[in-house]
Amino acid sequence: RDRADGREQARLAQAAASRHAEEARKGVEEARRRADAAREAESARLREQLKRERAERDEAERKQAANDRVERAKREEDRENEMEQIRQRFQPELQAAFTRGVASFLEHIYAKHPPTLAGTRPQLTSEAITGENLRGTVKKASLNYHPDRQVRADLEWSVLSAEIQQLLNRCKDKLDGRT
């Protein structure tokens, strides 16, 4: 009987230990599920936060790009206005010289606005501005004053050279009998 009682107690103790082990296993599984759920919730929260931050950054970049476009347009408008003022300052003088004739125009621009390119300080002789030589002199002047050839020119010289070039083109047309 003692043996039977001992076996019964061992069986009961084993059953109790199995229940405890099962409850502990269930507790561990529940803790894992809660930890997984908490990690998933934190992960979702972080994803949403990143999404909001990206949206805010994108919006800030869009606003900055729009501001940059406005600033660039304003600078371009200011530059155009400044160029127009320069044009208006030089046009009467250049037009008056052009009206007096091709030779007079060439003498005027070389005297009043000599070319800025290196090695382009030609002296206009009476031979250079008469007869057949006049066409070649206009061509050389076009090379000296062409806006694309003006290296590191300030805005005033760029505008002036463009105005002179337009009038030199008209000189060529006049010499070729196109006007």
Side-chain angles (χ1 to χ4, degrees):
R1 196 169 198 235
D2 283 338
R3 240 186 204 180
D5 284 340
R7 276 190 241 157
E8 183 62 25
Q9 283 180 347
R11 190 182 63 72
L12 288 174
Q14 188 178 14
S18 277
R19 277 194 308 274
H20 275 47
E22 181 64 23
E23 286 173 5
R25 187 185 59 76
K26 285 181 181 178
V28 167
E29 283 179 12
E30 182 61 30
R32 278 189 192 140
R33 275 194 297 273
R34 276 189 248 138
D36 289 345
R39 276 193 300 273
E40 182 58 36
E42 180 65 13
S43 179
R45 186 188 68 73
L46 289 174
R47 280 193 303 271
E48 283 301 313
Q49 181 180 351
L50 283 173
K51 191 176 176 182
R52 275 192 309 277
E53 288 172 358
R54 275 190 208 118
E56 289 170 0
R57 186 182 62 240
D58 290 348
E59 181 63 23
E61 287 173 359
R62 277 192 293 276
K63 284 180 181 178
Q64 185 62 44
N67 288 341
D68 290 348
R69 284 191 300 274
V70 168
E71 283 297 317
R72 194 170 32 256
K74 174 129 178 54
R75 283 192 307 272
E76 288 173 8
E77 182 181 348
D78 291 346
R79 181 180 164 90
E80 285 297 321
N81 289 338
E82 187 178 353
M83 289 171 67
E84 185 57 33
Q85 289 173 356
I86 294 168
R87 260 187 226 103
Q88 289 174 2
R89 193 170 76 225
F90 286 110
Q91 273 180 343
E93 163 206 333
L94 294 173
Q95 193 63 42
F98 177 77
T99 307
R100 289 191 302 268
V102 175
S104 178
F105 178 67
L106 289 170
E107 287 173 339
H108 175 80
I109 62 173
Y110 275 107
K112 184 114 174 162
H113 309 289
T116 59
L117 296 173
T120 56
R121 299 262 188 223
Q123 296 296 321
L124 288 180
T125 63
S126 58
E127 292 174 3
I129 56 174
T130 57
E132 286 300 314
N133 294 333
L134 188 57
R135 182 174 277 110
T137 304
V138 169
K139 185 175 181 179
K140 285 179 185 174
S142 288
L143 292 173
N144 291 331
Y145 288 99
H146 196 283
D148 292 343
R149 295 195 56 181
Q150 305 306 315
V151 181
R152 293 189 297 265
D154 63 354
L155 184 62
E156 185 172 292
W157 181 255
S158 295
V159 171
L160 179 61
S161 64
E163 291 299 311
I164 290 173
Q165 183 62 43
Q166 285 179 356
L167 292 171
L168 286 170
N169 289 339
R170 288 177 56 195
C171 286
K172 283 188 231 175
D173 291 343
K174 211 182 241 190
L175 292 172
D176 291 340
R178 288 185 260 178
T179 57

